[in-house]
Amino acid sequence: MGYLDTYVFDGVYNQAAALTSTTPLPRDSLLRQSLSLFVFIYAYIVAFYFGTAGLSYRFIYDKKQESHPKFLPRQKLLEMACASRALPTITLMTVPWIMGQLHGYSMVYKEWSKFGYVYLGVSAVMFILFTDFCIYWVHRLEHHPLVYANCHKLHHKWIVCTPYASHAFHPVDGYLQSLPYHMAVFIFPMHEYVYLALFAFVNVWSVMIHDGEYMASNGIVNGAAHHTVHHLYFNYNYGQFTTLFDRMFNTYRKPSQEIYDRSRRNSKTVQAAQAQDIDTALPTLENKKTQ
């Protein structure tokens, strides 16, 4: 925050004080810190979301998927609008976690050698496994009938996704699935730059698993193909980074071969069959989840 205060926020608060004939909020004011964090985090996530999803859509996303029978009219704009409505609330709920880190309540550290250089890599693996496990259960519980209709159902409006679906959640849904990323550094130590790099990575990953481009048939990595199965068939592949916990708790479904083959997955026959499967299963699934 020191750099932001020096180059951005000191001037903003001084100008605001001059315009209102009041005393500028000091740097150690909790109100100022909260406001500054909200502005910074919100600006960051909006820029990162539209930038990453935009690049993915422009250069990676298979736009032939937009001809799928389950692709909604104007869906890309609807996804962007949904994310734009959710991000301010998610940011507001995130601020207390970052405040806790700034005030020394987390286990984030600055010295590269504090726990040894090997631990930098170990902590990254711990972060991935911890958050993958937690998000698996958050995601799975969001499919419970008492939760699904009022929270997670909105994200499943996007049966055939674009990269812009990555952050197109109900705000409570998006916040709950982000909680493990914040909790991690209150449970085990992480270097601040390793943590920041991983935080950027998870946002990129969220876009990647919605981009419709299935680069590798890997049974362990929960890539776009596995997450596509989740959006198409709902009750499978709840994990975020790996399929480990889906396999462990019997919710894993292997993507069919046509998902990996661009020409086959864009086949009208394949898409019609997927649409028919969804139309057959969806009334039962939705009924179970909204009862």
Side-chain angles (χ1 to χ4, degrees):
M1 285 299 294
Y3 291 108
L4 288 171
D5 279 329
T6 299
Y7 295 107
V8 179
F9 290 120
D10 283 344
V12 170
Y13 288 110
N14 289 336
Q15 185 65 30
L19 292 172
T20 57
S21 300
T22 58
T23 303
L25 290 170
R27 287 189 176 188
D28 60 359
S29 164
L30 294 179
L31 175 60
R32 169 173 166 161
Q33 291 174 0
S34 298
L35 290 171
S36 300
L37 279 173
F38 177 85
V39 171
F40 171 69
I41 296 169
Y42 181 64
Y44 164 81
I45 195 60
V46 168
F48 206 93
Y49 164 65
F50 281 103
T52 307
L55 288 171
S56 178
Y57 182 82
R58 174 67 178 83
F59 295 107
I60 298 174
Y61 179 64
D62 181 4
K63 297 175 183 62
K64 290 183 179 179
Q65 286 288 289
E66 295 180 356
S67 65
H68 196 288
K70 290 301 175 182
F71 193 87
L72 302 176
R74 302 173 59 249
Q75 181 174 311
K76 183 177 71 169
L77 293 176
L78 292 173
E79 290 169 343
M80 288 190 282
C82 180
S84 297
R85 288 192 299 269
L87 289 176
T89 304
I90 295 172
T91 301
L92 186 65
M93 292 189 287
T94 298
V95 165
W97 291 96
I98 311 302
M99 285 286 284
Q101 294 173 28
L102 288 178
H103 286 269
Y105 294 105
S106 76
M107 301 178 74
V108 171
Y109 63 95
K110 296 179 180 294
E111 302 83 8
W112 287 103
S113 60
K114 184 174 182 178
F115 294 97
Y117 292 102
V118 172
Y119 181 75
L120 298 174
V122 171
S123 66
V125 173
M126 290 168 60
F127 178 88
I128 294 297
L129 292 176
F130 171 78
T131 56
D132 197 36
F133 175 79
C134 292
I135 292 171
Y136 172 87
W137 281 109
V138 169
H139 193 179
R140 186 167 177 179
L141 289 171
E142 285 184 333
H143 280 252
H144 189 279
L146 295 176
V147 181
Y148 179 78
N150 296 316
C151 185
H152 191 55
K153 183 177 179 179
L154 176 59
H155 188 63
H156 276 278
K157 181 178 181 178
W158 329 116
I159 294 174
V160 178
C161 301
T162 81
Y164 293 103
S166 59
H167 293 64
F169 291 96
H170 185 289
V172 174
D173 183 4
Y175 173 69
L176 289 175
Q177 294 203 50
S178 74
L179 271 178
Y181 304 133
H182 306 301
M183 292 167 54
V185 291
F186 289 85
I187 295 173
F188 53 86
M190 291 196 73
H191 189 276
E192 59 180 355
Y193 289 129
V194 173
Y195 180 54
L196 288 173
L198 284 167
F199 214 90
F201 164 75
V202 299
N203 280 284
V204 173
W205 185 261
S206 184
V207 171
M208 288 175 63
I209 62 175
H210 291 89
D211 68 11
E213 188 55 57
Y214 320 117
M215 292 181 288
S217 177
N218 188 299
I220 300 300
V221 177
N222 184 55
H226 292 88
H227 199 66
T228 292
V229 168
H230 178 73
H231 276 267
L232 288 172
Y233 304 114
F234 288 61
N235 290 330
Y236 306 94
N237 301 352
Y238 296 106
Q240 183 73 355
F241 302 112
T242 77
T243 64
L244 294 175
F245 302 109
D246 283 293
R247 293 173 183 276
M248 189 178 298
F249 299 111
N250 298 315
T251 55
Y252 175 70
R253 179 166 174 166
K254 182 179 179 180
S256 56
Q257 282 304 308
E258 63 261 19
I259 286 181
Y260 292 106
D261 186 324
R262 179 177 288 208
S263 62
R264 291 175 66 186
R265 72 170 178 260
N266 289 326
S267 160
K268 297 296 183 183
T269 303
V270 169
Q271 292 183 349
Q274 289 174 341
Q276 184 175 1
D277 289 343
I278 294 164
D279 288 338
T280 301
L282 193 57
T284 302
L285 292 170
E286 292 285 280
N287 185 51
K288 285 181 179 179
K289 293 181 184 299
T290 55
Q291 282 178 347

